[in-house]
């Protein structure tokens, strides 16, 4: 998150000093696209003693071509250039719903941005922004997590106040797996079968299958009938959770960016650890299916990304608690 703050601070103060970001160890997460984009906007960037120092006398709009549709870089460019002199055009921009939401929020503050949700975003610099009160969009990854909780337990769930279109690729896969899904304007009802069916998935930038739901659906596939194949195209180190799941009886093999999962009847309880945020959520989902008591260590990752997860799962009938 330290990187994402940089764009906003540069727009406001024309100067920011930060270090390389931390976060989940899910593979290479370079920030070169952020740095190159800042330089395109006339921002001087210097690295010294582990710090990245960015400063500009004036931020000037420019054409920026992203090598990859990075969500973070797209957001950073939008925020850094929102009060720049002139026009900034982001080519090969990320198209995630969060990008559209950021555009809507900034425009509510007086910004002039258009094109979010497409490959090209145009930002016309303004002199200042105003205060706003804004409701952000629902968390599509949290919604997907609860759907998979219901799927792996053969249960049913009604999710309200969500945007079904944002999780369409997951809903399609869950239907392929045998789940009965009803979609309304802002809610999804899922009834899971007694036995799920295996499916194949490939992660891709939006509107493709999201990498953040790969481990969430992956753990669900460990008890599906048949063999599933996952291809992870975004982060190369996102299969750590599968190694933990072998302790619970899951059967999988990994070769490069491909994982092959052979479904078992049911998982068994074990002591496991959260390897990262979504991998940790996968352990929780596995524990809901497993016979016996599952203990998950290193849950700081999970708590960082899910608010009151234990309380919400308890309301659905889960036997779960956090040891202090």
């Amino acid at each position: 998150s330290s990187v994402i703050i940089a764009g906003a601070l540069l727009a406001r103060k024309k100067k920011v000093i930060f270090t390389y970001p931390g976060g989940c160890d899910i593979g290479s997460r370079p920030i070169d696209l952020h740095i190159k984009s800042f330089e395109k906007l006339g921002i001087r960037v210097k690295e010294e003693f582990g710090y990245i120092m960015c400063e500009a006398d004036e931020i000037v709009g420019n054409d920026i071509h992203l090598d990859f549709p990075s969500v973070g870089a797209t957001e950073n460019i939008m925020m850094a250039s929102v009060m720049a002199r002139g026009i900034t055009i982001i080519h090969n921009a990320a198209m995630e719903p969060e990008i559209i939401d950021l555009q809507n929020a900034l425009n509510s503050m007086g910004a002039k941005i258009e094109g979010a949700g497409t490959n090209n975003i145009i930002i016309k610099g303004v002199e200042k922004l105003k205060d706003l009160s804004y409701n952000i969009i629902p968390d599509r990854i949290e919604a997907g997590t609860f759907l998979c909780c219901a799927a792996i337990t053969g249960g049913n769930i009604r999710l309200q106040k969500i945007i079904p279109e944002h999780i369409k690729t997951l809903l399609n896969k869950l239907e392929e797996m045998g789940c009965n899904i009803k979609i309304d304007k802002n809610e999804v009802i899922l009834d899971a079968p007694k036995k799920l069916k295996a499916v194949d998935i490939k992660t891709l930038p939006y509107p493709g299958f999201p990498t953040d739901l790969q481990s969430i659906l992956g753990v669900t596939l460990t008890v599906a009938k048949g063999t599933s194949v996952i291809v992870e195209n975004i982060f190369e180190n996102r299969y750590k959770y599968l190694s933990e799941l072998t302790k619970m009886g899951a059967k999988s093999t990994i070769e490069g960016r491909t994982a092959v999962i052979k479904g078992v009847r049911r998982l068994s309880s074990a002591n496991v650890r959260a390897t990262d945020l979504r991998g940790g959520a996968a352990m929780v989902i596995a524990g809901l299916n497993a016979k016996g008591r599952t203990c998950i260590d290193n849950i700081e990752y999970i708590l960082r990304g899910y608010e009151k997860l234990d309380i919400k799962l308890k309301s659905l009938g889960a036997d779960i608690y956090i040891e202090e």
Side-chain angles (χ1 to χ4, degrees):
S1 296
S2 59
V3 175
I4 303 301
I5 295 172
L9 287 173
L10 282 165
R12 288 285 299 274
K13 301 295 184 180
K14 305 295 186 292
K15 181 178 180 180
V16 65
I17 301 172
F18 61 98
T19 61
Y20 279 94
C24 298
D25 182 17
I26 55 177
S28 177
R29 308 178 87 175
I31 59 170
D32 58 309
L33 295 180
H34 301 249
I35 299 302
K36 289 176 184 176
S37 300
F38 286 161
E39 290 174 334
K40 277 276 191 178
L41 295 171
I43 299 163
R44 299 183 296 276
V45 181
K46 182 172 69 173
E47 186 176 348
E48 201 169 78
F49 307 117
Y51 289 95
I52 300 166
M53 292 164 276
C54 304
E55 191 171 6
D57 300 320
E58 182 184 33
I59 297 176
V60 182
N62 204 342
D63 273 21
I64 299 175
H65 296 259
L66 292 177
D67 295 332
F68 178 83
S70 162
V71 175
T74 301
E75 292 169 338
N76 243 340
I77 298 165
M78 291 170 69
M79 290 186 286
S81 63
V82 71
M83 290 189 283
R85 175 168 61 84
I87 297 173
T88 299
I89 302 177
I90 309 172
H91 301 274
N92 196 29
M95 299 189 292
E96 273 74 1
E98 292 78 16
I99 302 296
I100 300 172
D101 207 37
L102 177 60
Q103 172 184 277
N104 294 342
L106 289 171
N107 284 348
S108 297
M109 299 174 76
K112 294 182 179 179
I113 306 173
E114 60 184 60
T118 72
N119 286 317
N120 297 305
I121 298 176
I122 302 170
I123 305 109
K124 297 177 182 178
V126 297
E127 289 188 6
K128 62 180 181 178
L129 299 175
K130 61 183 180 182
D131 297 347
L132 91 159
S133 177
Y134 188 83
N135 291 325
I136 62 171
I137 58 174
D139 186 336
R140 59 195 171 102
I141 308 302
E142 184 179 18
T145 301
F146 283 113
L147 289 171
C148 287
C149 286
I152 201 170
T153 55
N156 57 78
I157 189 172
R158 179 194 295 265
L159 284 182
Q160 297 177 311
K161 297 182 180 179
I162 68 167
I163 303 175
E165 183 66 25
H166 291 175
I167 53 172
K168 190 173 181 180
T169 52
L170 175 66
L171 294 174
N172 289 340
K173 288 299 176 183
L174 287 170
E175 280 189 325
E176 281 184 50
M177 294 168 69
C179 294
N180 182 25
I181 295 175
K182 296 178 182 178
I183 301 172
D184 203 348
K185 184 178 180 181
N186 64 347
E187 74 173 27
V188 171
I189 302 171
L190 179 145
D191 283 306
K194 290 183 178 180
K195 191 65 179 177
L196 298 167
K197 302 173 186 175
V199 296
D200 297 341
I201 59 173
K202 290 183 180 180
T203 64
L204 292 167
Y206 192 86
F209 192 90
T211 181
D212 277 345
L213 285 175
Q214 184 257 101
S215 54
I216 304 300
L217 188 62
V219 65
T220 312
L221 292 172
T222 62
V223 295
K225 185 178 181 180
T227 301
S228 303
V229 179
I230 301 175
V231 180
E232 173 55 61
N233 290 307
I234 310 298
F235 292 113
E236 73 276 8
N237 200 21
R238 203 148 205 178
Y239 289 133
K240 288 183 177 180
Y241 74 98
L242 288 174
S243 298
E244 287 296 301
L245 287 176
T246 58
K247 301 174 185 177
M248 303 179 72
K251 294 181 179 179
S252 64
T253 56
I254 302 165
E255 186 172 338
R257 291 182 177 267
T258 302
V260 178
I261 300 172
K262 187 176 181 180
V264 298
R265 191 181 67 82
R266 187 178 179 185
L267 298 174
S268 301
S269 60
N271 291 338
V272 293
R273 62 189 295 272
T275 55
D276 54 74
L277 169 54
R278 306 306 173 186
M283 295 302 110
V284 174
I285 296 171
L288 294 174
N289 172 272
K291 184 179 180 180
R293 181 179 183 269
T294 297
C295 181
I296 305 168
D297 193 15
N298 208 30
I299 64 168
E300 292 82 6
Y301 281 120
I302 306 171
L303 300 180
R304 177 165 61 81
Y306 292 91
E307 184 180 15
K308 299 178 181 177
L309 180 62
D310 56 326
I311 295 172
K312 293 173 182 176
L313 287 174
K314 278 181 182 177
S315 72
L316 294 168
D319 183 1
I320 180 173
Y321 63 94
I322 296 174
E323 289 185 344
E324 297 297 334

